[in-house]
Amino acid sequence: MIAVLKQGTTPAQIQHLVDWLKHMNLDVHISEGAEVTILGLIGDTSRVDMELLKSLEMVDSVKRVSEPFKQANRKFHPKETIIDVGGVRVGGGYFAMIAGPCSVESEEQIISVANAVKQSGANILRGGAFKPRTSPYAFQGMKGEGIRLLLEAKKATGMPIVTEIMNIATLDLFADVDIIQVGARNMQNFDLLKELGKTKKPILLKRGLANTIQELLMSAEYIMSEGNEQVILCERGIRTFETATRNTLDLSAVAVLHNLTHLPVVVDPSHATGVAGLVPPMACAAAASGADGIMVEVHNNPSCALCDGAQSLTPEQFDELNRKIQRIREVIA
Ligand code: PEP
Ligand code: MN
């Protein structure tokens, strides 16, 4: 349920109302806009007397929110959320250019890719240290050592870093990581989501291989309901009957999500297509669709990559892509 307050309501009046609502065992989310303040009520609102609430002097209108996601809902928070990642902003007109290898493989590799993508306009560095692989015999990532090398690359370039967590037991290793990624395979690992909700770190939440947009928002809600509101959503393709691409990029999800939620939405065309040649056109399409950023795999030598070489761009291809994206962003601005 949301209560829109009248213009001119004083902070003391708002506090009084919030206290009263909290007495009914409700959590109250306050969204202060330039003109109006909106109170989002979370919990069992069936006992709230809507007519009584509506009749209060300071209340303009009261609406029930039918969707099961509340804190992620744009009705609770009409303004876009802007997430500050170590000085780089994402959302609300700020574009995340996230680039880097699928996996960290060596110091030389991550530093060289980090320098190259920064030069070309990337503002966040990606790199997997803990890798969720389909085969237990495939390269599983450099783990803690991979994170240490990412931190070296962060020091060398000044770029914030994003890397995936698979198990909450490793959380301590992420202390200096700027964004913690929850991969597609863990999108509904609810215990992991709840624990990440207790941290203060921005979370990059990727859509599951066979999950609906609403399920993605419910997973964001798991994180937010524990107190962490810094969630960036990522469309990365879903599994369909199509086999020409690794997954099917659901670009309409960007527009749908922008209607439903205030959270930033980025697109990963690398895992969505699985083919390097398809990454630039889909990245451009993502930027044109109004996405708040893209995440692209870039490798200094894709044919020798330990993971996902076929979908990795070379630094030169990324440079060309970045120039196109900047032009598209000027056109749609
Ligand atoms: C990744 O970004 O490294 C990754 C494994 O992606 P996804 O979880 O989308 O498959
Ligand atoms: Mn990958």
Side-chain angles (χ1 to χ4, degrees):
M1 183 182 280
I2 60 165
V4 181
L5 305 187
K6 286 190 184 141
Q7 244 178 314
T9 306
T10 66
Q13 286 174 309
I14 295 174
Q15 193 55 50
H16 193 68
L17 182 55
V18 168
D19 290 345
W20 179 64
L21 292 164
K22 282 191 172 167
H23 261 106
M24 287 188 262
N25 263 339
L26 296 170
D27 255 348
V28 184
H29 181 278
I30 307 174
S31 170
E32 279 179 70
E35 268 149 38
V36 287
T37 297
I38 295 176
L39 301 185
L41 314 187
I42 305 157
D44 180 9
T45 54
S46 62
R47 280 176 304 162
V48 178
D49 184 339
M50 262 179 95
E51 293 311 313
L52 175 62
L53 191 55
K54 251 186 238 174
S55 71
L56 299 179
E57 179 63 33
M58 68 190 93
V59 175
D60 187 55
S61 60
V62 179
K63 272 183 254 159
R64 286 213 178 269
V65 175
S66 49
E67 296 87 359
F69 50 96
K70 309 292 178 189
Q71 300 194 54
N73 203 311
R74 195 179 269 283
K75 288 176 190 158
F76 266 49
H77 190 291
K79 262 201 331 202
E80 259 89 32
T81 283
I82 298 174
I83 296 180
D84 193 310
V85 183
V88 174
R89 282 177 282 192
V90 185
Y94 295 99
F95 196 81
M97 212 42 186
I98 310 172
C102 178
S103 313
V104 180
E105 298 173 5
S106 69
E107 178 160 359
E108 190 209 347
Q109 175 242 19
I110 190 66
I111 300 280
S112 104
V113 175
N115 279 322
V117 296
K118 186 184 179 184
Q119 188 84 31
S120 298
N123 52 12
I124 299 173
L125 176 68
R126 68 150 283 148
F130 292 92
K131 294 303 304 175
R133 302 303 300 278
T134 302
S135 166
Y137 308 117
F139 174 58
Q140 305 284 308
M142 292 182 79
K143 309 196 169 94
E145 175 64 3
I147 294 187
R148 190 186 71 73
L149 295 179
L150 275 169
L151 293 171
E152 290 293 324
K154 172 178 168 175
K155 216 191 295 171
T157 59
M159 266 192 293
I161 55 173
V162 54
T163 192
E164 177 168 353
I165 194 166
M166 286 169 57
N167 188 328
I168 199 65
T170 62
L171 184 63
D172 287 352
L173 295 172
F174 290 73
D176 297 318
V177 167
D178 301 280
I179 306 177
I180 302 180
Q181 175 173 321
V182 175
R185 289 152 192 84
N186 270 315
M187 188 202 90
Q188 287 192 313
N189 182 340
F190 301 119
D191 285 342
L192 179 63
L193 300 177
K194 281 191 271 188
E195 289 304 317
L196 293 173
K198 292 176 189 151
T199 72
K200 304 237 176 316
K201 295 270 182 200
I203 308 295
L204 179 70
L205 178 64
K206 299 190 83 173
R207 182 176 180 182
L209 278 71
N211 286 111
T212 64
I213 290 171
Q214 178 156 313
E215 285 164 346
L216 173 61
L217 288 168
M218 291 312 292
S219 289
E221 194 76 14
Y222 261 96
I223 299 168
M224 300 175 86
S225 66
E226 295 291 336
N228 185 354
E229 300 188 349
Q230 303 187 83
V231 182
I232 302 169
L233 304 169
C234 180
E235 163 58 38
R236 46 80 69 206
I238 49 174
R239 185 159 287 186
T240 68
F241 52 80
E242 183 54 70
T243 55
T245 48
R246 183 175 178 181
N247 291 287
T248 298
L249 178 59
D250 179 11
L251 214 43
S252 58
V254 175
V256 172
L257 284 166
H258 277 155
N259 283 339
L260 295 176
T261 182
H262 52 89
L263 298 173
V265 183
V266 304
V267 172
D268 170 354
S270 305
H271 292 90
T273 62
V275 181
L278 300 178
V279 170
M282 292 303 98
C284 288
S289 75
D292 300 291
I294 55 164
M295 178 156 87
V296 175
E297 287 185 342
V298 179
H299 197 284
N300 50 341
N301 188 357
S303 60
C304 293
L306 295 180
C307 184
D308 286 350
Q311 68 194 32
S312 299
L313 300 185
T314 62
E316 295 72 30
Q317 288 166 331
F318 177 70
D319 189 64
E320 195 182 321
L321 170 61
N322 183 62
R323 273 184 270 142
K324 282 190 188 152
I325 299 258
Q326 294 320 324
R327 291 216 297 276
I328 290 169
R329 289 192 22 79
E330 276 163 30
V331 170
I332 64 164

